[in-house]
Amino acid sequence: MIGDMKIELSKAKKNKYAIPAFNAINPLMIKKYIEVANSLQAPIIISLAEAHLEYMELEEALYSYEHYASKTNVPIILHLDHGQSIEVVKQAINLGFPSVMIDGSMHDFDTNVKMTKEIIEYSQLKGIAVEAEIGHVGAGENYETDELTDSIYTSVEDAVEFVNQTNVNSLAVSIGTAHGHYKGIPKLNFNRLNDINKSVDIPLVLHGGSSSGDDNLRKTIEFGISKINVFTDVVTSINKQMDCGKDYFTVLDQINLGIENCLKHYIDLFGTRKWSEIND
C-alpha cells in the first residue's frame, strides 16, 4: 500500500522501532525492496537521493513505486533523499512524492531554516511529509558521490530552535555516523541523542546507518531514532553475491539475493516487524 510518512514514523516513535530507508538507483531495486518488505510484513521507505538522479529520474522512481506498492498490504513510502536544491524538491512534490527531504545542513543555520520553511509552506496543501537536517552527517571513505566531508554534531539548542521555527515533520541529526564506509565501528554520542530526543517532540532520523554497528543502531532506536538510512551496505551485500562470469539471469538472481539478505538483516535489527503486531 502507499504509506504515509507522518503516520508511520509516529507509530515507530511510539512503539520504539525504526523504519529502514533504503536508497534505490533503478526500478529493479524498487521492485525487490517492496517484495522483501511484503514478505516480511514490515513497512519500508524507498529513498531516491538527488545525487542519484543520473541513474533514475524522479518520474521513473514514482511510477515504479506506485505500481509495485499498490500490490502490497504493508506501508511503502517513497522519499526524496538529500534534496539540496529547492527546484528539485519542488519538482518531486509536484510529481506526487509523498515525502521529501530538504537538506540545507551545509549552509548556515538561518539559510537552512529559510530553505526548510519554503519547502514546508510549498508542500502544505499536498500533505507532503518534510524532513530536514540540522548539524551535518559527513561523507566517509568511498562515498558514492566521491565527496568527503566532515560531520558536524547537532546541538540540542539548534535542534530545538530549528523545530520551533520550521515545524518540520522529522529531523535528521548528526551524532557520529557518516555516509559511506567506515574504518572500524563509529563511536556515537548517545548522550547528545538522548538530550535532543527529550527536547523535541518529532521523530528523529539517522543517516549513515550502514555498518554503524548493530548494537549502536539498536541503542539509537531506544533513544528516539525512528528512521534509519541504509545504502552502502545494500551495495556491499550485492557485491558479495555477484559473480560477473555468469549469465545475465544468474547475475540478476545474485543481485536480488544480496538485496534480500541486507534488507532482512536491518528490518529484523530495527524491530520493524512490530508494525504487524500493532496493526493486527
Side-chain angles (χ1 to χ4, degrees):
M1 71 177 79
I2 304 297
D4 185 305
M5 182 74 90
K6 297 175 189 176
I7 291 174
E8 297 308 325
L9 287 189
S10 177
K11 289 179 185 177
K13 180 177 174 64
K14 180 180 178 180
N15 292 281
K16 297 256 183 214
Y17 63 88
I19 303 176
F22 299 110
N23 283 78
I25 58 173
N26 60 57
L28 289 175
M29 294 180 80
I30 292 176
K31 179 183 179 183
K32 187 61 184 179
Y33 287 173
I34 293 175
E35 286 177 354
V36 174
N38 194 50
S39 70
L40 298 179
Q41 288 294 283
I44 63 166
I45 298 157
I46 297 173
S47 296
L48 173 61
E50 181 176 336
H52 292 153
L53 291 180
E54 63 181 296
Y55 301 109
M56 180 166 58
E57 296 177 353
L58 293 172
E59 295 90 341
E60 192 178 7
L62 182 64
Y63 298 154
S64 301
Y65 156 72
E66 290 179 337
H67 175 72
Y68 293 113
S70 66
K71 299 180 179 183
T72 71
N73 64 345
V74 294
I76 310 293
I77 304 160
L78 182 66
H79 175 72
L80 177 69
D81 189 29
H82 288 292
Q84 296 182 329
S85 62
I86 294 289
E87 295 75 20
V88 169
V89 179
K90 287 183 176 179
Q91 183 184 358
I93 292 170
N94 291 337
L95 284 170
F97 270 58
S99 177
V100 296
M101 178 188 185
I102 176 65
D103 183 4
S105 63
M106 286 295 287
H107 300 283
D108 62 73
F109 182 87
D110 289 340
T111 301
N112 194 355
V113 167
K114 181 179 178 182
M115 292 172 66
T116 304
K117 288 177 71 173
E118 181 175 348
I119 292 302
I120 288 174
E121 290 170 5
Y122 190 81
S123 65
Q124 275 182 340
L125 294 178
K126 298 179 181 290
I128 305 298
V130 178
E131 173 187 332
E133 182 173 318
I134 190 71
H136 180 68
V137 177
E141 191 177 57
N142 299 322
Y143 184 48
E144 58 266 20
T145 63
D146 294 325
E147 180 187 1
L148 304 182
T149 59
D150 291 331
S151 292
I152 302 169
Y153 273 21
T154 305
S155 75
V156 178
E157 295 76 17
D158 281 353
V160 171
E161 185 63 22
F162 188 86
V163 171
N164 287 341
Q165 288 195 39
T166 64
N167 291 314
V168 70
N169 301 120
S170 60
L171 186 68
V173 295
S174 176
I175 57 166
T177 57
H179 299 104
H181 294 280
Y182 296 106
K183 293 179 179 178
I185 296 176
K187 183 177 180 180
L188 305 187
N189 191 333
F190 293 108
N191 290 333
R192 179 70 54 86
L193 174 59
N194 190 36
D195 289 343
I196 294 171
N197 185 45
K198 288 180 178 178
S199 302
V200 300
D201 192 28
I202 61 172
L204 300 178
V205 177
L206 187 72
H207 287 249
S210 290
S211 299
S212 291
D214 288 0
D215 289 341
N216 275 343
L217 293 176
R218 285 193 196 95
K219 196 169 180 180
T220 66
I221 296 168
E222 292 175 18
F223 285 99
I225 293 293
S226 303
K227 169 179 176 275
I228 301 177
N229 288 31
V230 176
F231 180 56
T232 299
D233 277 357
V234 176
V235 175
T236 300
S237 185
I238 290 171
N239 290 340
K240 286 180 180 177
Q241 293 294 329
M242 284 183 64
D243 178 355
C244 292
K246 301 292 184 179
D247 64 85
Y248 172 81
F249 293 103
T250 301
V251 171
L252 185 58
D253 287 342
Q254 291 170 338
I255 289 171
N256 283 333
L257 179 59
I259 289 173
E260 185 174 339
N261 289 340
C262 186
L263 266 61
K264 281 184 175 180
H265 172 76
Y266 280 113
I267 286 170
D268 286 340
L269 178 65
F270 298 166
T272 317
R273 289 202 241 188
K274 286 183 182 178
W275 178 90
S276 295
E277 299 172 11
I278 66 175
N279 286 278
D280 281 341

